Amino acid sequence: MVDEEHETSYKQEEAPRYHARDVAVVRAKFEKCVVLLGSATPSLESYHNALTGKYELATLTQRVDNCQMPRIRIVDLRQEKRSDRVGTILSEKLRTAMAERLEKREQTILFLNRRGFSTSLVCSNCGRARDCPNCSVALTFHRSILRLTCHLCGHAAAVPKKCPECGEDALIYSGFGTEKVEATVGHIFPKAVVKRMDADSMTRKEAYRETLRAFRAGKIDILVGTQMIAKGLHFPNVTLVGIINADLALHLPDFRAGERTFQLLTQVAGRAGRGETPGEVLVQSYTPFSPSIQFARHHDFAGYVEQELEFRERCDFPPFKHAVLITVRSAHETRGKFSAETLARRLCEALSEEFTVSDATPAPLEKLHTQFRFHILLRGGAVMRLSRLIREVMDKLPLPEDVTATVDVDPYQLL
Ligand SMILES: [Zn+2]
Ligand SMILES: [Zn+2]
């Protein structure tokens, strides 16, 4: 039994890179036994296997205890008044819905997949952001510890009083994370008990369980959190779920962005109305008409799968073709770039036309842990042969000492 089979955490991101779900399937084949893959939002790979008859599909058409599916409403953030600065965090509709819940002593969950207070510190004079010295991302401001930190490598820095680049006293905070949502909610509803649940607030092991217990006992009115609260938790008194920004995953340069958004919305929405009172979900978005948001809104898994599979097939992405991602890393930008370009050229020469090889390009996340990163993406049907050919090419191409390359078959991390 593989529960929540769509979870990307089943994929091991360090060598040896394997997918635990796929290992379970292979193992069951050896042992001649049945594997049950369970999920409310199956991965496209597994669902495609069911459609093509490789797997057998068993569908549960009713929610546990016959609960009604929650009503999902989309809030178009573009319509919020610009002068209303709170509006971009909590739209008027969401505020009203929360106030109603507080009055009725029902509970609310607010979901935002981003930690911290402000997501960047930008100079309004010269326009430069405080970036991590080791990675190509902006540092996030955490108000509780009054520091800027990098969410990728953990680098921490003091908050400068003036812009280190131009010397002007013109630094402004922009963007927001869960910490700011918590503060904003506390400000608007001063009488409500608000608690935050994310990797920053849940550093102690017991904190997670204690918070959930208090929430279940009704001692918390509003719970603000990240992914951590999206999992299959059951709270009968939660009748409202607010998704603060549904667009966060959509704009990542990743072919699974739509799938992730649909899954996340569906999973988070499933937290609402698990008791007798039907639940309501408010989804805030700047792109309210994007397909994954619309399909999630109508609880239309079949419709979403159909359009997503069509896109994957047209673009030769999994589950139709296998993808292999090679990441070349080096502390020296030019050496990394040169090695990646050489490797891409050799692969092109060695592989027949049934495989496609992309050019070597800087990764979307160009620098991580002081290493510059370059990507080569390969696609094709026969993944075993493709992997073998890649290995042969790489064995024949000695990389400089300070350059490393890793191969990831059917990757889940494309940044
Ligand atoms: Zn400046
Ligand atoms: Zn960093």
Side-chain angles (χ1 to χ4, degrees), residues 132 134-135 150 153:
C132 173
N134 310 323
C135 314
C150 172
C153 73

Side-chain angles (χ1 to χ4, degrees), residues 131-139 149-156 367-370:
D131 286 333
C132 173
N134 310 323
C135 314
S136 50
V137 292
L139 295 169
T149 67
C150 172
H151 285 180
L152 297 173
C153 73
H155 174 85
K367 197 178 166 199
L368 177 67
H369 293 281
T370 73

Side-chain angles (χ1 to χ4, degrees), residues 72-140:
I72 301 184
R73 285 199 287 157
I74 315 279
V75 181
D76 188 346
L77 284 178
R78 295 170 305 179
Q79 312 266 326
E80 288 296 309
K81 281 188 231 100
R82 286 200 177 209
S83 53
D84 182 2
R85 287 188 63 194
V86 173
T88 55
I89 301 178
L90 298 176
S91 62
E92 218 188 311
K93 286 198 185 91
L94 183 53
R95 271 178 278 168
T96 311
M98 289 168 73
E100 282 169 19
R101 294 325 187 278
L102 284 171
E103 208 149 279
K104 286 192 273 182
R105 304 215 48 112
E106 292 171 3
Q107 291 168 299
T108 297
I109 288 179
L110 295 180
F111 174 82
L112 178 67
N113 214 2
R114 201 161 52 188
R115 294 184 287 127
F117 194 80
S118 297
T119 42
S120 56
L121 185 59
V122 187
C123 172
S124 61
N125 182 50
C126 69
R128 273 183 240 158
R130 307 299 322 134
D131 286 333
C132 173
N134 310 323
C135 314
S136 50
V137 292
L139 295 169
T140 301

Side-chain angles (χ1 to χ4, degrees), residues 280-293:
E280 184 179 37
V281 181
L282 287 183
V283 179
Q284 303 193 130
S285 167
Y286 285 102
T287 54
F289 298 107
S290 75
S292 25
I293 293 180

Side-chain angles (χ1 to χ4, degrees), residues 307-328:
Q307 70 94 33
E308 186 70 27
L309 283 177
E310 196 188 291
F311 153 72
R312 299 279 183 93
E313 187 164 29
R314 198 171 59 233
C315 303
D316 278 345
F317 278 122
F320 296 95
K321 292 282 169 66
H322 287 280
V324 177
L325 182 69
I326 301 181
T327 307
V328 177

